[in-house]
Structure formats: structure tokens, C-alpha cells
Amino acid sequence: MMGPRAKRFFHRWFSSGLSITFMNSTARRENIRNIAIIAHVDHGKTTLVDAMLKQTEAARNLDQMGERILDSMDQERERGITIRAKNASIVYNGVKINIVDTPGHADFGGEVERTLRMADGVLLLVDAKEGPMPQTKFVLRKALELGLNAIVVVNKIDKPDADPDEAVNKTFDLFAHLNATHEQLDFQIVYASAIAGTATLDLATPGTDLKPLFNTILASVPAPEVNTAESLQMLVLALMYDNYKGKMGIGKISAGRIAKGQPVAEISVDGVITKGKVTDIMIYEGLKQVPVEMAEAGEIVAVAGLPVIAIGETIADADQPKQLPPVEVDQPTVQMTFGVSTSPFAGREGKLVTSRQIHARLMKELETNVALRVAPTDSDNAFLVSGRGELHLAVLIEQMRREGFELQVSQPQVIMHEQDGKKMEPYELVTIDVPAEYQGIIIEECGARKGIMLGIDTTPTGELHIEYDMPTRGVIGLKSALMTKCRGQAIVNHLFNKYEPFQPDLLNANAHGSLIAFEHGASTGYALDNAQQRGTLFIGPGVEVYAGMVVGQNSRDEDMEINVCKEKKLTNMRSKASDDAILLAPPKLMSLELALEYIGPDEFVEVTPQSIRIRKRTLDANERKRASKT
């Protein structure tokens, strides 16, 4: 196999006679660089930003802020992933470097697609052990489509099983697979350990700090173009709210300059022009935003004074308004209904329970979540919400329950398309890393879900790396199924790939039978001891339940009503104290993601600030039986 240095030498030699560089008369702001950091989940983006901020002393109390400084949301810190793109800046050798930390998961691709428009170059982080992963392909494709050049940062070179050269080879192959230009293929390579805060251009020379990375950014990322003679143009790519300044639009000034008090035109996505006036301008300094009187093209700014500003709109000169192309975002692939809770326990734990409150919250989310869609349904108490994946919608549901909402959500359904009279469904690229002894289980489960194996490799640690092309319907519930069958040792990643003809043979990849509570009351150890013989329980003793609530998964693919509230009667021969001898298996605690993967078409997930319950759509057992016969 050709090594990374040989590959790059061959490419430079081959392309040198074909490329011609034309000088652009447009000036550039050499004291600014705008970069976005992109990578697969958990490859070290936010950790690298931490080190960059600390080594340039971007703020005084960075050491007291802990790890993953930019992960400000509670869910980001709990899940260990970036959900919302963040802005920051550092200063190195007199040059201001604006940084955009982007999510690594494709479910939050809407954040990636819009924030990349702020950047003039990207840092692509690749794990030295794992190499490029499915999400790496997604974020890199978006950057290359925008014509951005990349600096490849091979991170975690201090891992025991790291293979930096192989990671670079695979990255080069990925660039070529994504039809990168000759200039994009000629990327610079930096070897780093983000957690140690070191970088080097040569593996033979260990790094001591991040100066090699900073110098590479200044040398390789082009300075933003500046044309102050043109009229103002700025595309709004993010929003923020300030208690004193109101709603603010964030974006990079593409042309001209903007000043405090300046009259401007707000151009909506459909071309409607509204006049306004700039009341405040903020730029990024470290982790903070500071007010300025004026900013020029090339700078990333936040602008206040336009109360109805939205993502994708253009802020332009009031006298010569010129619209910029709006943000293009991939369409959603999964949808579910968000509705008012009709549970017998509704209103006990939440404060926001009405359809009006749920609708208002969803409309507010649409302002910043550009990949989300909300549509009405036949019922006034439910709304059809579409997103880029289960995780995309699960994060929204989790955020709503933490804000005090009570709601019930349906099973995730894939969104079908019609093409040339044929029904098309989304397919995803699925990668699974698992110990070799579970190979048969993986092949059996993925085959039942109509997955087509694309390749199988053995990693240096002896694990298997398997790739599948699988319908999204088959992907739903796959992770929880493999986690159970592989005893928690399977690592599953998936990424939307394409639309293919509908698979009629894949009827229900997630078929199951549920154990359903027979009556209202509190569960008892005596009743659960009998119930656990029927399957896996989701609750323990002393839990309040209602008729129609799902309390476990049946070992057979059929629903079964059980009484989990039954108490052992006191007699002359026995006492209730003998219950102490009962041994109950620990219940399977259903998180929100597991519950969404588990439920079937006739079930809901009931979400409250304190509880996550699974229930049948129809609570009455007799009505369910009558409905099943029709």
C-alpha cells in the first residue's frame, strides 16, 4: 500500500502541471481567519478547542471551567457530544482566529450545514486509531461542497493502538471518494493529542504545544475576502437572544461594512424586504461577545435591532439590497407525532400540558433548528414533527421535558418519497464495531433487517469493523437489539446515505410483545415475581401504574395483560413477611432513546419532567381486542 507521504508526493507531482492560479483583485483581511472544526462524534473537537483557548489565554478563568468548555448545554455534557454549534475566538501572533465548533453527529447536520457558511477553511479531526468514520464522511462532504480546504488533524496519536499513517491513508481515500478537487486533496497534516494540548508536523518530533497547529492555520486557511466598496451583505446563520438587546442574528459579513445606527434591509428567504436599523453589533473575543461600533467584511458578528430576523435571511444595504443564497439543508428522514398527554397521570408532574403551549414551543424551536419541520395533524391536540433522525428528535423531547412539558410521542416513522412513480425509502450507512465472537449475531440481526453487507475488516485490536447498507426502518431499534445480544459490546454508528426502492418484505423489524398492566395501583414484589417469568420488566416494586401501561417486554411476540399490583393474602398459615424471600431481577430502566426504539405503532411514550412511561394508545383492554379484530 502506498504510504501517506508517497501518496501526497504523487498527487503534487501529478497536479502541478494541471493547476493554474489566478490572482484575485479582491483584498483579504490578513489579520482574521475563520475556521470550523469538524469530525466524527468523540474524535476530540471540543477537547481541542479547550486546549486552543487555554494556550492563547482567551479568558482568565479557563482552568476553573473544567473540560469541554464550549459544551454549555446540560445534554451536551451528559451525552458527551456537541449538539449546537458554538462560536469563540483566539488571537495568535496578532491574528484573530474565529472558531466554530460544529456537531459531529449527522442528526444535527442542520447545525453543520449552516455554520460552515461562516468559515473560510476547516480543521478535520480524525482519530489516529479509528480513522475516518461515517459522520466524518458527512461533515467532510458538506465542507467540500462549499469549496472549503481542510487541514487534517490526526488526533489521539498517544493512544496505545494508534496508527496515524493508516488514518491519513484512509482520509486521503475519503477525500478522493468525495470527488475533492486537486487543491482540496493537497491538504496539510498535523498530528496532535488534544487532551495533552500538543501538536507536531512530524511524528518523529514530539510536540510540546499547539504552535505547529496555529502556524498551519495561518499559512493554509485563506484570509477572508474584503470588498468594502460593495454594499453590505450578511447572511444570518444563527440566532441568539439577549435580555436587553433582544433577538440577534449571527453571521459573517460577506461584503461592505456594518455600523451601529445604520439603516439596513432585512431580506427574507422568499425575497420580502423589511427596513430596519442596527442598534448593536457584537464580535467574539475569546468566549465572550463584546460590543463594537463598526465591523467590516470577513468578520463574524451578532447584529441586534431586527426583531423578526430568522436564519437564512440576508441583512443588506438599505438603498441597494442584494440577497445572498439562503442556507440549503437536507430534508428530514424521520417523523413522529407530539401530542397532549391523555394518560390517567396527566398533569401530575408537569406545568406545561396544553396543545397551545406545546405548539408555541415547537414554533420557537423552528427559529433556530433549521432541519426541523412541524405540521398539523387531523387532531388539534397533536403535531407532526420531522427531523434528521431519532437522536435529533429525542434531544428536543428531552429539552422540553426539562422545561416542564408533559407530552406523548408516537413511534418514529421514516419519510417515504415518490420518484418516477416508485415508492422510495431512506437507506443508511451502518458501521458496527464488535468483538469477533459476536459476528454471527450481527450478521443474523442485520440480515433480518434487510441490511446488505458492504465490507468487513479486522482492527489491530482483533475486533470486527462491519459496514452495512440498510433501510432506515431496519436501523430503528437496531442499537438496543445489538446492545442486548452483544452484552453491551457493540458500537453502532449510522448515517443517511440515499433513497432506494421500498422494501415490502421488511414488515416490522422491531416487532415485539408487551407486558401490560391490568389495573391501577402500586406494583408489588409478589406480583412482579410471577410477572418476571413472562419476560423482561421495566419497573420494580412500589411503582404506581395504570391499566394500559406497558410494564415490560414479553418473551413472545404478543401482548399480555398481567396484574403487577396483586398482593399475597394473609392467612393462618402464611404471613406477608415471607415476601422478603422474593428475588427480583433488576428491571430494565427505559431511557428516552430506548423507549423510542422499543415502542410499536400502537404505543406511545409518555414524557414528563420526572418520568418516562410506555403505554398503549388504547388503554382499555376490551377496546384493544375489538380494534384488533376489525
Side-chain angles (χ1 to χ4, degrees), residues 97-305:
I97 303 175
N98 286 313
I99 302 171
V100 183
D101 183 19
T102 66
H105 201 289
D107 278 24
F108 310 110
E111 297 284 312
V112 177
E113 289 160 348
R114 62 182 174 84
T115 52
L116 281 177
R117 295 280 293 270
M118 300 186 197
D120 299 301
V122 297
L123 298 186
L124 174 66
L125 264 70
V126 178
D127 191 298
K129 175 185 175 182
E130 298 178 353
M133 297 292 283
Q135 316 295 342
T136 313
K137 178 179 179 181
F138 168 77
V139 293
L140 179 59
R141 182 175 69 240
K142 296 300 178 183
L144 296 179
E145 288 173 353
L146 291 173
L148 301 177
N149 293 336
I151 297 172
V152 174
V153 181
V154 182
N155 193 26
K156 303 184 183 182
I157 58 173
D158 49 350
K159 270 189 172 183
D161 301 314
D163 190 349
D165 286 346
E166 181 63 17
V168 171
N169 273 332
K170 291 181 177 179
T171 304
F172 186 93
D173 293 338
L174 178 59
F175 272 75
H177 176 72
L178 295 175
N179 298 319
T181 64
H182 293 302
E183 184 180 1
Q184 290 171 330
L185 281 168
D186 192 19
F187 52 80
Q188 299 296 317
I189 302 174
V190 179
Y191 302 95
S193 171
I195 195 167
T198 61
T200 180
L201 301 181
D202 187 354
L203 286 171
T205 307
T208 57
D209 52 30
L210 291 179
K211 288 183 180 180
L213 175 61
F214 295 142
N215 292 329
T216 304
I217 292 173
L218 298 189
S220 302
V221 176
E225 294 184 354
V226 175
N227 193 340
T228 54
E230 289 287 333
S231 57
L232 170 66
Q233 282 183 305
M234 171 183 156
L235 184 64
V236 177
L237 297 167
L239 297 176
M240 64 170 287
Y241 187 82
D242 186 274
N243 291 331
Y244 301 100
K245 299 178 176 63
K247 186 186 289 188
M248 305 182 74
I250 302 174
K252 184 177 73 173
I253 304 174
S254 300
R257 62 183 66 185
I258 190 168
K260 189 174 180 180
Q262 176 181 346
V264 294
E266 174 190 338
I267 308 176
S268 66
V269 175
D270 53 4
V272 177
I273 298 176
T274 305
K275 296 300 179 67
K277 185 178 180 180
V278 177
T279 58
D280 279 286
I281 304 171
M282 312 278 282
I283 63 172
Y284 288 91
E285 286 189 4
L287 298 173
K288 297 181 179 179
Q289 290 179 324
V290 297
V292 294
E293 293 295 319
M294 187 268 293
E296 293 187 341
E299 182 67 270
I300 295 176
V301 299
V303 178

Side-chain angles (χ1 to χ4, degrees), residues 295-320:
E296 293 187 341
E299 182 67 270
I300 295 176
V301 299
V303 178
L306 305 171
V308 295
I309 195 69
I311 291 175
E313 297 187 347
T314 302
I315 299 176
D317 183 77
D319 299 325
Q320 298 177 318

Side-chain angles (χ1 to χ4, degrees), residues 84 111 114 239-240 311 364-371:
R84 294 292 175 89
E111 297 284 312
R114 62 182 174 84
L239 297 176
M240 64 170 287
I311 291 175
K364 181 182 178 182
E365 185 69 20
L366 286 177
E367 294 181 359
T368 56
N369 201 333
V370 295

Side-chain angles (χ1 to χ4, degrees), residues 507-565:
L507 299 177
N508 189 356
N510 202 25
H512 64 268
S514 294
L515 299 176
I516 308 165
F518 182 76
E519 63 179 7
H520 290 59
S523 60
T524 66
Y526 174 71
L528 293 178
D529 186 35
N530 294 322
Q532 70 181 356
Q533 311 301 322
R534 305 292 185 180
T536 303
L537 295 177
F538 299 158
I539 64 170
V543 176
E544 195 172 2
V545 301
Y546 55 81
M549 176 176 161
V550 175
V551 295
Q553 181 176 356
N554 194 359
S555 56
R556 300 180 179 180
D557 292 340
E558 58 184 20
D559 291 342
M560 177 184 296
E561 275 80 29
I562 59 174
N563 188 349
V564 294
C565 305

